[in-house]
């Protein structure tokens, strides 16, 4: 019996129209375009301004693109996995809300909370469901409305984040393509450097938590940067070695877009030229679980069947990982 693999057979994406540029930020905090550009590579981000819209609405836009491209009946979707740290509500899961909005009446679904590595965690879980034969059509969506949890008076964090969604469809294949291998890690001792202080069962929302601004992202940037640089580069290199690959074999590095300097460190570590790295951080900033699928969506036309891709991420948790994919179409 031939091995069943999970192949990405379609991608979709969505970013809101409204832009928040470095020049806009210069007007509201003590910063400069020059500082933001040289420290992060970001020039602008997209913001979902409509107060009636949430993460599920961006995810729905991304998934609808897949449904249209593949002429897929939503009733045929088996499972929806949504990676996000900005769910519409604490419960029910955003995946359930997405399923309802797109009419995926036969699907089950759930959310994955793994911050910037969320899409990789969700992709690997979805792939396992397909490889096992349990499910035939799995939607994996990475989405975050970071503007909902960013303190726009905190110049150390508000410059980084933006809103957006990217989605993929996973289907079974017996060809030598699809999700080939993965390394995923986490270390909860890193939580103290990047978290949201209140709104969970430890510190439920109260007048005090709101007044103390505890419902925003708390990040010690320098610490996170140090762990991210080594974490993302080391795991990418380890994955290549495990699969007897070198940078020469790789067509594309698809890195989480948190900071251009972190991306460069990973690229240098696995010996790739700049042209082989998917980059859109200058346009969208860090959309957390959205970054990797949004990259795939934007670069889709440049991908060829059989291309070897390394997807790599590092983020809150700490969580990190790398996934080796052979492009399927
Ligand atoms: O995706 C989730 C995981 N998150 C990450 O991967 C983020 C990792 N961290 C980073 O990307 C970087 O640490 C930041 C971009 C957040 C910050 O860059 P940095 O080079 O680490 O700057 P820093 O925090 O060491 O700050 C350097 C200086 C400080 O001033 P002093 O103390 O040296 O006088 C800051 O107050 O820059 C100052 N600063 C700013 N100046 C202008 C901090 N933010 C700003 C700002 N504009 N927006």
């Amino acid at each position: 019996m031939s091995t069943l693999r999970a192949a990405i057979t379609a991608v979709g994406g969505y970013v809101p129209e409204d832009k928040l540029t470095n020049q806009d930020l210069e007007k509201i905090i003590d910063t400069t375009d020059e500082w933001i550009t040289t420290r992060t590579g970001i020039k602008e981000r997209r913001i979902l301004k409509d107060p009636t819209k949430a993460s599920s609405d961006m995810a729905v836009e991304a998934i609808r693109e897949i449904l249209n491209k593949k002429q897929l009946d939503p009733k045929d979707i088996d499972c929806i996995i949504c990676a996000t740290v900005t769910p519409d509500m604490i419960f029910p899961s955003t995946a359930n809300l997405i399923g309802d909005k797109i009419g995926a009446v036969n699907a089950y679904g759930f959310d994955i909370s793994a911050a910037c590595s969320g899409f990789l965690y969700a992709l690997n879980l979805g792939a396992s469901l397909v490889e096992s034969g349990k499910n035939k059509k799995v939607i994996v969506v990475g989405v975050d409305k970071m503007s909902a949890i960013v303190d726009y008076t905190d110049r150390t964090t508000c410059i980084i984040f933006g809103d957006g969604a990217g989605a993929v469809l996973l289907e079974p294949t017996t060809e030598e393509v699809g999700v080939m291998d993965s390394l995923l890690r986490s270390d909860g001792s890193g939580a103290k450097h990047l978290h949201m202080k209140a709104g969970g069962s430890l510190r439920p929302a109260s007048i005090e938590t709101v007044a103390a601004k505890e419902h925003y992202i708390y990040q010690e940037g320098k610490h996170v940067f140090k762990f991210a640089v080594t974490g993302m580069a080391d795991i990418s290199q380890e994955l290549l070695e495990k699969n007897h690959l070198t940078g020469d074999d790789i067509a594309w590095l698809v890195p989480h877009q948190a900071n251009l300097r972190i991306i460069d460190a990973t690229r240098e570590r696995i010996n790739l030229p700049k042209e082989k790295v998917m980059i859109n951080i200058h346009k969208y900033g860090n959309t957390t679980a959205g970054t990797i699928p949004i990259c795939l969506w934007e670069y889709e036309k440049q991908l060829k069947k059989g291309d070897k891709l390394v997807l790599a991420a590092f983020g809150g948790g700490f969580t990190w990982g790398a996934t080796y994919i052979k492009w399927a179409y």
Side-chain angles (χ1 to χ4, degrees):
M1 211 177 75
S2 50
T3 310
L4 213 52
R5 293 194 183 278
I8 294 176
T9 56
V11 296
Y14 175 78
V15 287
E17 268 176 31
D18 279 306
K19 293 177 184 174
L20 179 67
T21 65
N22 290 352
Q23 286 72 26
D24 295 330
L25 286 170
E26 280 176 350
K27 291 179 198 141
I28 57 173
I29 49 165
D30 179 16
T31 193
T32 60
D33 171 47
E34 202 265 335
W35 192 96
I36 301 171
T37 307
T38 52
R39 298 280 175 137
T40 68
I42 301 168
K43 298 298 272 184
E44 58 190 38
R45 323 100 194 102
R46 299 299 179 94
I47 305 293
L48 186 62
K49 283 204 170 152
D50 183 342
T52 68
K53 300 271 188 240
S55 290
S56 68
D57 298 293
M58 293 191 288
V60 163
E61 294 291 337
I63 296 168
R64 284 215 172 107
E65 188 179 330
I66 292 178
L67 298 178
N68 288 337
K69 274 182 184 168
K70 299 290 284 185
Q71 288 298 297
L72 180 64
D73 185 340
K75 294 189 185 70
D76 292 335
I77 297 170
D78 298 312
C79 177
I80 299 168
I81 309 178
C82 177
T84 188
V85 289
T86 51
D88 290 21
M89 312 167 197
I90 286 193
F91 77 92
S93 77
T94 303
N96 296 159
L97 302 172
I98 294 168
D100 178 49
K101 286 180 185 180
I102 63 170
V105 290
N106 297 313
Y108 68 105
F110 51 91
D111 291 358
I112 295 272
S113 173
C116 303
S117 311
F119 180 76
L120 288 192
Y121 275 42
L123 179 69
N124 281 279
L125 195 53
S128 302
L129 293 170
V130 171
E131 289 157 6
S132 69
K134 203 164 183 57
N135 294 145
K136 289 197 166 53
K137 294 194 190 311
V138 175
I139 293 280
V140 177
V141 58
V143 58
D144 271 299
K145 183 183 169 185
M146 296 307 289
S147 61
I149 59 168
V150 163
D151 175 1
Y152 286 99
T153 64
D154 174 5
R155 69 174 184 168
T156 66
T157 56
C158 75
I159 54 153
I160 302 173
F161 296 101
D163 303 339
V168 301
L169 173 65
L170 290 174
E171 293 184 282
T173 179
T174 50
E175 289 185 61
E176 266 292 291
V177 292
V179 179
M180 306 300 286
D181 195 17
S182 221
L183 292 169
L184 300 174
R185 303 275 155 75
S186 70
D187 177 2
S189 71
K192 56 183 172 291
H193 302 303
L194 180 53
H195 59 266
M196 186 191 288
K197 293 192 181 302
S201 58
L202 182 64
R203 282 181 65 71
S206 67
I207 290 170
E208 287 76 27
T209 62
V210 172
K213 296 187 165 189
E214 291 180 353
H215 298 273
Y216 292 125
I217 302 160
Y218 171 83
Q219 175 171 263
E220 294 161 5
K222 240 187 189 14
H223 280 282
V224 181
F225 183 88
K226 199 177 75 190
F227 284 103
V229 162
T230 48
M232 208 161 100
D234 285 356
I235 204 143
S236 301
Q237 177 61 19
E238 194 182 332
L239 184 70
L240 288 193
E241 283 169 14
K242 187 170 168 234
N243 288 278
H244 312 292
L245 297 166
T246 69
D248 290 342
D249 302 308
I250 301 304
W252 293 99
L253 171 66
V254 193
H256 170 53
Q257 314 276 309
N259 187 313
L260 202 51
R261 291 182 289 150
I262 300 173
I263 295 172
D264 274 338
T266 302
R267 177 184 67 73
E268 281 168 19
R269 184 67 183 282
I270 62 172
N271 273 320
L272 281 187
K274 283 195 165 140
E275 314 80 72
K276 287 187 172 185
V277 185
M278 294 190 188
I279 304 275
N280 56 23
I281 189 170
H282 51 293
K283 293 192 290 184
Y284 307 136
N286 181 352
T287 55
T288 304
T291 58
I292 290 177
I294 291 173
C295 277
L296 293 174
W297 170 59
E298 284 212 323
Y299 281 77
E300 184 190 19
K301 285 196 171 64
Q302 297 182 54
L303 294 169
K304 296 188 297 295
K305 186 168 181 176
D307 274 356
K308 295 181 174 121
L309 276 57
V310 171
L311 283 45
F314 187 97
F318 293 137
T319 57
W320 66 107
T323 296
Y324 164 37
I325 283 179
K326 270 199 210 168
W327 200 246
Y329 62 96

